[in-house]
Amino acid sequence: MDVSHDKLLPLKIEYHFKETFIWSFSGVILLLFSSLFNIIDLLVTKWAYVGWFRQYLIRSTMSISFLPLAIGFGMIFSNFFVGFIRREGELARNWLIVYSVAELVSLFTLSTIVLGAFTLLAIVFGKLIAFIYLDRVFLKLKKNDEVKINFSLVYPLFGSYRIVVAIVVGLAANVRDYETELYLIAVNATLEAIFTFLIGIKLLIDLLKIRSYINSKRKKN
């Protein structure tokens, strides 16, 4: 059974308040800028391979951005909430870290044969599970608290997007349709960048709402 949030908030409301949201907002801002730059780069170069190293740096930055975001979310849910929200929020943090680290390992090792399968599984399922947990947390916040979070369904959709693309690209590869496969990969790179940018905006809006809610509790206590 969940404990009332009001019983916890007055006890820990001042605990690392600024540090918590510095981690969260720095991750979101880094994600927004890197994904926006990725969209511009892909559209300007028209998916050309001449900018492969720039793309490598951009994707690395996008992956790194999920680490401070995960740490920040973990601190928010651990420091200011209890019960279901705390448990699910910490699980979302853990899986976001798994996803981010797997993306970085994949980039740094250039998806080697030895690690490729393991990192791919960690990326796909880490991202899916992390954003499912995030959706569950936000739905609970919307139901039980004063945080007006809408359209949280976009989080599991974002988490499952890569699985759908992998299936489509895999089918194109199996029928040996090389041109279709390349086209799908190129289009997916742009769509994923746009989707990531939109998720960054959504995360920023939701973080501002959570911060406002916690801040209102600070003023009351």
Side-chain angles (χ1 to χ4, degrees):
M1 183 181 296
D2 286 355
V3 179
S4 171
H5 304 321
D6 290 335
K7 293 181 181 179
L8 178 71
L9 285 168
L11 298 176
K12 303 185 74 175
I13 200 69
E14 294 294 340
Y15 180 71
H16 293 325
F17 181 78
K18 291 182 179 179
E19 292 85 346
T20 296
F21 285 96
I22 286 173
W23 278 106
S24 306
F25 285 116
S26 63
V28 170
I29 291 169
L30 187 61
L31 180 65
L32 281 170
F33 276 106
S34 58
S35 56
L36 179 60
F37 190 57
N38 194 21
I39 295 168
I40 295 170
D41 183 62
L42 288 167
L43 293 177
V44 169
T45 60
K46 297 181 179 178
W47 311 316
Y49 286 102
V50 292
W52 69 269
F53 185 69
R54 187 170 57 253
Q55 272 292 302
Y56 178 82
L57 292 176
I58 293 171
R59 291 194 65 84
S60 297
T61 305
M62 289 172 65
S63 300
I64 290 170
S65 68
F66 283 99
L67 285 175
L69 186 59
I71 293 170
F73 270 128
M75 292 175 71
I76 289 170
F77 299 128
S78 295
N79 295 339
F80 305 125
F81 296 97
V82 290
F84 179 89
I85 292 177
R86 187 177 193 172
R87 291 193 301 272
E88 303 291 289
E90 289 175 347
L91 286 169
R93 172 201 60 197
N94 295 342
W95 282 104
L96 275 175
I97 291 173
V98 168
Y99 164 66
S100 182
V101 171
E103 282 274 25
L104 290 172
V105 170
S106 178
L107 286 165
F108 291 150
T109 60
L110 301 178
S111 298
T112 59
I113 295 175
V114 177
L115 295 174
F118 294 104
T119 54
L120 179 61
L121 286 172
I123 288 168
V124 170
F125 288 102
K127 183 179 182 182
L128 175 62
I129 296 171
F131 282 96
I132 286 176
Y133 277 125
L134 209 56
D135 175 50
R136 285 162 60 89
V137 169
F138 287 152
L139 284 176
K140 190 71 171 181
L141 275 170
K142 180 181 178 181
K143 182 178 179 181
N144 291 350
D145 288 312
E146 305 157 14
V147 187
K148 304 300 182 184
I149 292 176
N150 300 311
F151 308 112
S152 65
L153 183 62
V154 298
Y155 291 122
L157 288 176
F158 178 67
S160 60
Y161 173 77
R162 195 158 189 166
I163 296 176
V164 175
V165 172
I167 293 172
V168 173
V169 173
L171 290 173
N174 286 332
V175 297
R176 296 181 180 180
D177 190 343
Y178 184 68
E179 289 185 1
T180 301
E181 184 182 357
L182 283 180
Y183 175 77
L184 286 171
I185 292 171
V187 171
N188 169 60
T190 306
L191 291 177
E192 187 176 17
I194 294 171
F195 204 173
T196 304
F197 179 71
L198 294 176
I199 284 294
I201 294 175
K202 172 68 173 152
L203 284 168
L204 179 61
I205 292 170
D206 291 344
L207 273 171
L208 287 169
K209 290 180 178 180
I210 293 172
R211 185 181 183 277
S212 176
Y213 167 68
I214 295 173
N215 217 15
S216 68
K217 295 294 183 180
R218 286 175 75 216
K219 292 177 180 178
K220 289 179 182 179
N221 297 283

